[in-house]
Structure formats: C-alpha cells, structure tokens
C-alpha cells in the first residue's frame, strides 16, 4: 500500500479519528512515521491531561506495520508485547517519531534466516511541543520467516 493511501486510511480509521490521533507522515520506504495527538475533549482524563490509553494507542500499530512493509510477505510480524512508562503529564500536542534503521532490518533478516523466531524490543518516545518526553513506549515484536521461503 502506498504511504499516502495508508496515511489517509489511518486518519479516517474510527479509533484514531475519535481519539484525535493523526498520522502526519509515512516515508516512502516505510522506515519513518510521525504521529501526533492533540489534547481535546475526547482524549483528556479527569485532571485535564492526555488520557494514557490514547497515548498508547497513538503508537500501537506502527513498528509492526513498518517492519512488515520492510521485510515483506515472506515474514510473519506480530506485536508480542507492549508497555508504556508515563514520565510527565501530557499537555497540548504530543508527537511520536518512529524510525527503523536499515541495519536493524538486516539484523532481523539474519536472526530469522533459518526460520527461528526473533523477539526484538523497540522503543519510541512521545514528546511535547518543547521536545520533553511525556511517555516512553516499549514494543516487543515477534518476527519469523515463513516456512519454505
């Protein structure tokens, strides 16, 4: 799927649309994605800052999709686990910048070349407009080369 079409679909997807999550950019090679979340009535908690579930939701699918797009159809890629550390209250617009390094992708290919599973952990920071880290999300992926490929 072309990144521009994917961005449009994400931005119209009801869970993202309702939470105020917006995909700002997907690079042509699917190695970089930028996601933003503006503080609004649908995603603020009782004390007026970003609801933690919305912060996590804005990061949920991207490492898995980026990895799958880069490794291709010969691979199984799933989210295996995820956690989030809330570091300070999120106010205003927050942003997550996802990036997969080419050498990381090569390591994943090498680790799965014989059909073994690979469970890498990736991390993305959610930052406020001043660049301060509001939350840190850890994702563990399950990657395996399909049998017979």
């Amino acid at each position: 799927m072309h990144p521009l079409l994917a961005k449009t679909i994400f931005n119209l997807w009801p869970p993202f649309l309702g939470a105020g999550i917006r995909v700002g950019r997907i690079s042509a090679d699917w190695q970089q994605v930028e996601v933003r979340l503006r503080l609004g009535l649908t995603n603020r908690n009782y004390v007026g800052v970003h609801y933690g579930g919305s912060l996590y939701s804005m990061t949920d699918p991207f490492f898995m999709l980026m990895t799958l797009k880069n490794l291709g159809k010969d691979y199984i890629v799933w989210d295996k686990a995820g956690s989030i550390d809330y570091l300070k209250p999120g106010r205003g617009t927050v942003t997550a910048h996802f990036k997969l390094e080419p050498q990381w992708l090569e390591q994943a290919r090498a680790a799965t070349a014989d059909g073994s599973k690979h469970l890498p952990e990736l991390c993305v920071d959610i930052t406020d407009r001043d660049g301060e880290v509001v939350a840190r999300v850890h994702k563990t992926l399950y990657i395996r080369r399909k049998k017979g490929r």
Side-chain angles (χ1 to χ4, degrees):
M1 180 182 305
H2 190 276
L4 188 56
L5 177 59
K7 174 185 161 183
T8 302
I9 291 169
F10 278 124
N11 287 334
L12 294 174
W13 190 43
F16 276 16
L17 191 62
I21 298 166
R22 301 288 297 169
V23 176
R25 179 176 174 272
I26 301 174
S27 66
D29 60 6
W30 282 84
Q31 291 182 15
Q32 295 184 54
V33 173
E34 178 188 286
V35 182
R36 292 184 307 273
L37 175 60
R38 258 187 299 171
L39 184 61
L41 291 176
T42 62
N43 61 20
R44 74 178 59 220
N45 66 17
Y46 183 76
V47 295
V49 299
H50 277 288
Y51 172 64
S54 294
L55 291 171
Y56 185 82
S57 291
M58 74 182 283
T59 67
D60 189 28
F62 295 104
F63 279 132
M64 186 271 297
L65 291 172
M66 294 165 68
T67 301
L68 187 58
K69 286 292 192 181
N70 277 274
L71 295 180
K73 295 180 183 192
D74 290 345
Y75 291 83
I76 297 168
V77 181
W78 290 98
D79 281 321
K80 183 177 184 326
S83 65
I84 186 167
D85 296 317
Y86 301 104
L87 304 174
K88 68 175 270 190
R91 296 181 174 89
T93 299
V94 294
T95 306
H97 295 276
F98 299 84
K99 186 172 184 179
L100 293 182
E101 298 291 342
Q103 61 269 28
W104 183 89
L105 291 163
E106 287 308 314
Q107 289 172 349
R109 285 185 183 96
T112 58
D114 65 355
S116 296
K117 68 180 176 183
H118 180 50
L119 304 173
E121 184 176 298
L122 296 145
C123 184
V124 64
D125 287 340
I126 300 172
T127 57
D128 63 16
R129 69 175 160 251
D130 297 326
E132 292 189 42
V133 179
V134 170
R136 182 164 292 133
V137 177
H138 304 269
K139 299 288 287 201
T140 302
L141 298 182
Y142 172 97
I143 304 172
R144 187 175 56 78
R145 190 171 172 88
K146 291 179 181 175
K147 290 179 180 9
R149 304 285 174 129

